[in-house]
Amino acid sequence: MTPFVLPHEMHGDGAHKVFAVHGWFADRAAYATVLPDLDRGAFTYVLVDLRGYGAAKDASGPFGTAEAAADLVALADRLGWGRFSVIGHSMGGAVAQRLLALAPERLRRIVGVSPVPASGLSLPADQWQLFADAAFKPENRRVILDVTTGGRAPAAWLDRMVARSLANSEATAFRAWLDSWAGEDFHTEVKGSAVPALAVTGALDPALTAGLMRETWLRWYPGGSLAELPSAGHYAMDESPLDLIRTVEDFLRAEDTPA
């Protein structure tokens, strides 16, 4: 595994350092909707592009959560960060948990926004095919977006999200990432971790639900907690940005240890 210098952008100059990791359908622009209202005095946020996405769209693999965790540790070293927190959306939530396995001593807190559990996500055969073919079929991406937001999102938003996803991900990498975040089970490597860990779910998300987090996240992590946003599905950054910011930053502020 060769660490890769992840393309990134920095916002804020606060003492608490925080990585923000995107999910399967987006590059770091996934966090654009929350950027204007983040507390940049208390936190320094670094948004990254994982391999196969955004400015790293043409990067070579491997494409997986373990490699991404190693890339993040390498970037933390490059930035001079001793300890830091990490926020991960969906697939990025699995990356955050991989960091628990790789470098728990470096982590202050982790936040998963609709996080994929460390056990992966079992999908029925027809759903697996829908997801696997989404690498090359825009219509599949649109269906997934529509279902995971409770069928309430405007058509224009769905179209824009599909277009952004296609423009900012490399199809082969996109497909390979699915095998990692959905198919890999590493929960025994992180079970019992004492790092405070918040899972934020959307009440309209039919898959990565509060119930699933109670069966996984809250059972594995002694310092685990759960918050559900009533007006969000899988994309809380777009659906409930202010509620998400308040929930996440209140959790991050609860730890006062210097970085």
Side-chain angles (χ1 to χ4, degrees):
M1 168 188 327
T2 303
F4 169 71
V5 179
L6 297 172
H8 57 281
E9 59 187 72
M10 185 176 294
H11 299 271
D13 56 6
H16 193 147
K17 317 301 186 186
V18 185
F19 282 125
V21 185
H22 61 80
W24 193 41
F25 267 44
D27 62 349
R28 66 182 186 255
Y31 293 96
T33 48
V34 300
L35 280 179
D37 301 305
L38 297 175
D39 185 343
R40 301 172 186 227
F43 304 102
T44 298
Y45 289 97
V46 166
L47 283 55
V48 302
D49 284 334
L50 299 177
R51 301 187 196 210
Y53 290 89
K57 185 177 177 180
D58 296 327
S60 60
F63 305 107
T65 59
E67 292 77 20
D71 288 340
L72 285 168
V73 169
L75 181 57
D77 291 343
R78 189 180 185 90
L79 295 171
W81 290 6
R83 296 183 68 231
F84 52 90
S85 294
V86 60
I87 301 167
H89 174 242
S90 192
M91 175 179 84
V95 173
Q97 292 167 89
R98 280 287 193 183
L99 280 165
L100 286 178
L102 179 63
E105 74 287 352
R106 303 284 294 272
L107 291 176
R108 296 176 67 167
R109 301 197 150 217
I110 74 167
V111 178
V113 180
S114 296
V116 174
S119 53
L121 189 65
S122 179
L123 297 170
D126 58 337
Q127 290 184 26
W128 179 266
Q129 200 60 51
L130 175 73
F131 277 61
D133 290 347
F136 305 98
K137 292 183 177 181
E139 62 271 26
N140 286 33
R141 299 193 192 201
R142 197 179 194 280
V143 168
I144 293 167
L145 286 161
D146 192 24
V147 170
T148 57
T149 51
R152 302 195 325 168
W157 181 86
L158 295 172
D159 293 339
R160 178 169 61 83
M161 291 289 280
V162 170
R164 187 180 74 179
S165 177
L166 291 169
N168 292 299
S169 64
E170 196 281 319
T172 301
F174 185 90
R175 176 63 186 82
W177 274 105
L178 173 63
D179 289 335
S180 179
W181 66 257
E184 295 172 355
D185 181 352
F186 59 93
H187 83 278
T188 58
E189 300 176 43
V190 296
K191 187 176 180 180
S193 172
V195 175
L198 171 66
V200 182
T201 60
L204 305 177
D205 187 342
L208 293 164
T209 64
L212 179 62
M213 295 305 117
R214 292 187 187 99
E215 294 299 313
T216 56
W217 193 280
L218 294 186
R219 288 191 175 185
W220 300 335
Y221 305 130
S225 55
L226 173 65
E228 184 178 59
L229 304 181
S231 298
H234 191 66
Y235 293 88
M237 290 88 75
D238 290 86
E239 298 167 278
S240 296
L242 298 182
D243 289 340
L244 179 64
I245 292 169
R246 181 62 183 268
T247 299
V248 170
E249 290 194 335
D250 281 355
F251 172 75
L252 294 176
R253 281 193 188 92
E255 197 254 293
D256 298 321
T257 303

